[in-house]
């Protein structure tokens, strides 16, 4: 059997996303709006398969064919008859649920491959003897021949997502290196093109010179089109002696489905902001224009307090090894009014709280653009995973001048972060009950501060295309050096493009640190309803949770390449290092032996020293993070951040050894079952499923009732068309070309 690091355990937690009451309260028109936005999100989410690994679309198609012909109970009878044990069949169901949940065969949280925890030859017998194989023998056999080996392979390069020799990625062709990625980013910057909706393909011409294709995601391809802002960009370029070709049409048939449902949603929009927002999203996905998506995002920001909230597009860049290409995601949610009232109070206090942050006023935005901040119950979240909170849009220019929105995903928090006492690792026994009691409330506080005042704070110093600065060069002083500002962002440069591989993690670390720092403020705790001893417990558990998370983060570190695979977890490890460095016994991490005789560890936080030792240490660190970010000082930022993110076996913590302990005792991230909506006549029905691997599979089997087989064929055709760029599938499965 495979190393436990690369499998999902049979007893993995599975929870349902409960939004029944919030959906019930929607009007018929709001339900129709939510339904069509959900359909757009689910269709678009299929693009993630093509953004993950060469084999992911084929695995998805194979699983979908199997479970369309036989539901999990029916397939179970066949599997047992083929000689599988109950445990082996359950392992297959968990694998299938994992593929659907992560939209591919790599974990969305950690970017590690997972493989079926049963013998390959047994799974082959189940697949080739299934009802699906009887109905479509060539097709099913072709899919299995294309993806079977890669489904199980744990060859070193295939264990993690990464670039070049570091791992596998389909954002870049297999022969691309980090140097190619940097060259392409410089090219994109020179043309004022965003990388968010692109992939990069490299081929060597007959002259031995590399030729790069920058492919934009769009419905339209090479066909002649009415002149648009994108048409003039679609041509050949020579840049620093290299040939670049900008094309479009990536994921075209999938985005066509997205556009169709966005058009339908427009008919049920609540106001002109929503109508114009959707019109610009349609333009963006049709033409391949990020500028149109920015315009849509402006209308989205202006649409304050909608009953049905949503966002869709190529959004987060966590899984691009270079850190600038966005993964497709789309969500639809309904407002939770009780928690939103607390967040509104936090927003009202934001300008005052921003003054508490430990950097000079010149390093803060000129004007705090009051955002929307709501707690939402998610109806649909399509993509590779569901976060607890979001601060979007990610476009630096919009965030600095137009503002942003914050959302806390209440029903996700409710199911994702609950912990059973017996599964609670690395804490002292006398901390466990307190931790269980206050983890949820403290996390509400941390998410609120992280999203609103973490991601929502800080200014970038910019020189625009006309040479004008957004700061006073004569009077603004760098508090770290005592000198005038020496570096800034030039026109076309962004936070992601400049800080690239560390940008996401660095920013998450800054936001997490702001949350820890400001949760010490009594006014903040009062907003969330905590005073006296309860407030002190919330602070303690919030800090304790961060310290424990820093230790758990070691699961996502790869010693062989000295690299981190998850931005949020790297950020938490960095904070743990900062607090350990503060000394005076504030935080200790001690190796121990568990009651089972195996290696264990304990983290301790001295609550009496949080304010006297922890706060000053965090203050110094936060100021340095912000100053380096504001000034675009990449060299200084990398030196600081990568220094804290280094994992060694230096005493007293011996983190490399502790990593083995963390892996030994890790608990897999829960799978979340989401409902479907179905239009019956003019009414929208909510379809819910049981909290199990089989329930999750059923939810996907019923997700595309009208066109499931057509979508699977589209996915495999798109994957086959680009298969030459990787050493993976090289031939179209029978019946798929």
């Amino acid at each position: 059997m495979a190393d436990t690091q690369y499998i999902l355990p049979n007893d993995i937690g599975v929870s349902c996303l409960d939004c029944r009451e919030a959906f019930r309260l929607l009007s018929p028109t709001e339900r129709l709006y939510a339904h069509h936005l959900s359909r757009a999100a689910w269709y678009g989410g299929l693009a993630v398969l093509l953004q993950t690994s060469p084999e992911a679309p084929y695995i998805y198609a194979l699983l979908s064919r199997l479970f369309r012909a036989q539901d999990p109970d029916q397939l179970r009878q066949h599997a047992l008859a083929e000689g599988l044990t109950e445990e082996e069949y359950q392992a297959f169901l968990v694998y299938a649920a994992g593929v659907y949940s992560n939209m591919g065969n790599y974990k969305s949280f950690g970017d590690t491959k997972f493989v079926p925890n049963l013998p390959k030859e047994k799974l082959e017998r189940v697949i080739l003897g299934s009802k699906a194989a009887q109905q479509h023998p060539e097709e099913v056999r072709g899919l299995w021949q294309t993806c079977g080996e890669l489904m199980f392979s744990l060859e070193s390069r295939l264990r993690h997502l990464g670039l070049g020799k570091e791992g596998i990625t389909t954002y870049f062709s297999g022969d691309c290196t980090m140097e190619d990625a940097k060259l392409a980013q410089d090219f994109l910057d020179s043309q004022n093109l965003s990388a968010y909706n692109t992939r990069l393909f490299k081929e060597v011409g007959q002259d031995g010179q590399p030729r790069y294709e920058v492919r934009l995601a769009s419905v339209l391809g090479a066909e002649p089109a009415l002149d648009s802002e994108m048409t003039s960009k679609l041509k050949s370029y020579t840049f620093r002696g290299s040939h670049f070709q900008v094309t479009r049409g990536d994921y075209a048939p999938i985005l066509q489905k997205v556009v169709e449902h966005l058009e339908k949603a427009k008919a049920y929009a609540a106001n002109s902001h929503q109508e114009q927002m959707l019109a610009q999203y349609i333009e963006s996905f049709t033409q391949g224009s990020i500028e149109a998506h920015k315009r849509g995002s402006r209308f989205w920001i202006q649409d304050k307090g909608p009953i049905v909230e949503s966002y869709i597009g190529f959004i987060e860049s966590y899984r691009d090894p270079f850190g600038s290409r966005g993964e497709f995601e789309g969500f639809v949610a309904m407002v939770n009014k009780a928690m939103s009232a607390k967040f509104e109070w936090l927003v009202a206090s934001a300008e005052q709280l921003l003054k508490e942050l430990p950097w000079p006023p010149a390093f803060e935005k000129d004007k705090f653009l009051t955002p929307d901040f709501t707690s939402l119950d998610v109806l649909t979240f399509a993509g590779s995973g569901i976060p607890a909170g979001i601060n979007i849009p990610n476009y630096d220019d919009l965030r600095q001048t137009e503002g942003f929105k914050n959302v806390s995903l209440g029903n996700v928090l409710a199911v994702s972060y609950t912990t059973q006492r017996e599964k609670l690792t690395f804490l002292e026994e006398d901390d466990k009950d307190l931790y269980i009691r206050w983890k949820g409330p403290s996390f509400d506080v941390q998410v609120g501060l992280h999203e609103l005042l973490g991601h929502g704070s800080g200014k970038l110093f910019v020189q625009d295309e006309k040479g004008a600065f957004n700061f006073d060069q004569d009077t603004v002083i760098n508090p770290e050096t005592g000198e005038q500002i020496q570096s800034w962002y030039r026109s076309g440069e962004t936070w992601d493009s400049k800080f690239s591989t560390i940008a996401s993690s660095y920013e998450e670390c800054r936001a997490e640190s702001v949350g820890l720092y400001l949760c010490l403020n009594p006014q903040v705790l009062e907003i969330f309803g905590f005073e006296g001893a309860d407030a002190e417990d919330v602070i303690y558990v919030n800090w304790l949770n961060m310290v424990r998370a820093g230790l758990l983060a070691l699961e996502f570190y790869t010693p062989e390449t000295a690299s981190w695979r998850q931005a949020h977890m790297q950020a938490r490890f960095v904070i743990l290092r900062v607090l350990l460095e503060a000394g005076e016994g504030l935080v200790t991490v001690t190796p121990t032996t568990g009651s089972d005789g195996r290696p264990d560890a304990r983290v301790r936080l001295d609550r009496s020293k949080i304010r006297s030792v922890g706060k000053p240490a965090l203050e110094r660190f936060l100021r340095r993070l912000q100053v380096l970010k504001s000034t675009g000082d990449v060299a200084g930022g990398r030196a600081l951040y990568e220094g804290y993110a280094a994992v060694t076996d230096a005493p007293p913590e011996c983190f490399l050894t502790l990593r083995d302990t963390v892996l030994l005792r890790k608990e897999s991230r829960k799978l979340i079952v989401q409902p479907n909506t179905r239009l019956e006549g003019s009414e929208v029905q909510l379809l819910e499923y049981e909290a199990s691997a089989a329930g999750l599979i059923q939810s996907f089997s019923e997700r595309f009732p009208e066109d499931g087989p057509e979508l699977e064929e589209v996915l495999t055709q798109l994957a086959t068309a680009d298969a030459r760029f990787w050493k993976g599938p090289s031939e179209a499965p029978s019946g798929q070309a």
Side-chain angles (χ1 to χ4, degrees), residues 49 88 138 148 335 384 392 473 491 566 568 618 651 656 666 705:
L49 294 160
E88 287 168 338
E138 285 188 19
V335 173
S384 66
I392 39 182
Q473 284 185 286
S491 175
Q566 216 293 324
H568 296 79
L618 205 55
L656 277 176
K666 74 183 179 76

Side-chain angles (χ1 to χ4, degrees), residues 202-251:
K202 172 183 166 186
E203 291 190 283
V204 178
Q206 291 183 341
D207 57 1
Q209 295 301 307
R211 296 174 182 276
Y212 299 97
E213 178 194 358
V214 173
R215 191 187 302 166
L216 311 177
S218 67
V219 175
L220 294 177
E223 65 272 17
L226 292 172
D227 192 42
S228 76
E229 63 191 337
M230 297 309 300
T231 311
S232 62
K233 303 280 189 184
L234 304 172
K235 61 183 181 183
S236 297
Y237 300 80
T238 300
F239 180 76
R240 293 184 190 164
S242 293
H243 177 81
F244 280 84
Q245 180 85 29
V246 177
T247 68
R248 66 181 176 185
D250 217 0
Y251 327 118

Side-chain angles (χ1 to χ4, degrees), residues 436-724:
I436 288 169
R437 166 72 182 87
W438 291 107
K439 186 187 177 188
S442 72
F443 204 68
D444 283 337
V445 174
Q446 179 68 10
V447 168
L449 294 171
H450 171 118
E451 300 297 347
L452 175 65
L453 297 162
H455 292 314
S457 64
K459 177 175 179 172
L460 302 185
F461 294 157
V462 178
Q463 182 182 24
D464 67 21
E465 65 277 3
K466 295 175 183 173
F469 291 88
N470 70 342
F471 65 99
D472 190 327
Q473 284 185 286
D474 296 326
T475 61
V476 177
I477 301 297
N478 183 326
E480 295 294 305
T481 64
E483 299 173 353
Q484 290 179 327
I485 304 304
Q486 303 294 317
S487 57
W488 48 83
Y489 296 78
R490 264 79 179 176
S491 175
E493 290 183 331
T494 67
W495 164 248
D496 278 339
S497 71
K498 213 164 163 59
F499 281 72
S500 66
T501 53
I502 66 165
S504 292
S505 184
Y506 188 112
E507 174 58 13
E508 291 304 324
C509 186
R510 197 183 68 88
E512 291 282 45
S513 299
V514 167
L516 285 186
Y517 186 76
L518 288 178
C519 83
L520 298 170
N521 187 307
Q523 182 189 353
V524 167
L525 296 167
E526 187 183 336
I527 288 170
F528 284 90
F530 306 119
E531 295 178 292
D534 285 354
E536 291 302 309
D537 285 343
V538 166
I539 291 169
Y540 176 63
V541 170
N542 196 31
W543 279 60
L544 180 64
N545 185 48
M546 189 63 69
V547 168
R548 176 175 179 261
L551 180 62
L552 295 175
L554 289 167
E555 175 191 343
F556 302 96
Y557 178 76
T558 306
E560 294 81 4
T561 57
S563 62
W564 286 90
R565 305 187 311 276
Q566 216 293 324
H568 296 79
M569 298 310 280
Q570 180 183 10
R572 290 161 189 168
F573 177 77
V574 166
I575 293 170
L576 171 61
R577 287 283 313 278
V578 169
L579 297 179
L580 281 165
E581 190 182 80
E584 298 187 45
L586 171 68
V587 173
T588 55
V589 181
T590 312
T592 62
T593 301
S595 57
D596 56 4
R598 300 188 301 171
D600 206 341
R602 291 290 175 269
V603 293
R604 295 181 183 86
L605 170 68
D606 186 336
R607 68 189 297 166
S608 70
K609 294 179 179 174
I610 290 174
R611 285 186 175 85
S612 61
V613 179
K615 184 180 180 183
L618 205 55
E619 189 170 295
R620 290 189 296 272
F621 177 62
L622 248 180
R623 181 167 52 245
R624 292 178 72 191
L625 283 179
Q626 183 56 51
V627 167
L628 292 164
K629 180 180 179 181
S630 288
T631 57
D633 183 350
V634 179
R638 280 194 178 277
L640 172 71
Y641 199 69
E642 290 174 348
Y644 278 114
V647 180
T648 71
D649 237 359
E653 288 81 26
C654 306
F655 281 120
L656 277 176
T657 301
L658 274 175
R659 178 179 176 272
D660 295 333
T661 304
V662 170
L663 288 174
L664 183 69
R665 298 189 176 276
K666 74 183 179 76
E667 184 182 359
S668 292
R669 199 170 172 84
K670 284 181 180 175
L671 303 179
I672 296 181
V673 183
Q674 298 188 54
N676 285 318
T677 56
R678 180 166 297 167
L679 191 56
E680 295 181 3
S682 60
E683 294 200 358
V684 180
Q685 304 297 325
L686 186 71
L687 306 180
E688 297 174 289
Y689 303 89
E690 69 173 34
S692 66
L696 200 156
I697 290 165
Q698 187 188 353
S699 74
F700 266 89
S701 293
E702 297 181 8
R703 194 140 282 155
F704 303 105
E706 307 91 0
D707 50 10
E710 173 199 330
L711 289 170
E712 290 140 30
E713 191 163 338
V714 160
L715 284 165
T716 54
Q717 285 175 350
L718 291 174
T720 301
D722 290 327
R724 69 185 188 280

Side-chain angles (χ1 to χ4, degrees), residues 26 159 205 281 334 350 376 527 547 709 716:
L26 296 182
R159 292 176 185 174
Y281 291 165
M334 293 81 67
L376 303 175
I527 288 170
V547 168
T716 54

Side-chain angles (χ1 to χ4, degrees), residues 308-327:
V308 177
E309 184 59 284
S310 68
Y311 198 60
I312 191 168
F314 297 89
I315 313 299
E316 302 293 355
S317 57
Y318 301 128
R319 299 181 95 194
D320 169 12
F322 189 71
S324 60
R325 284 155 191 79
E327 183 173 83

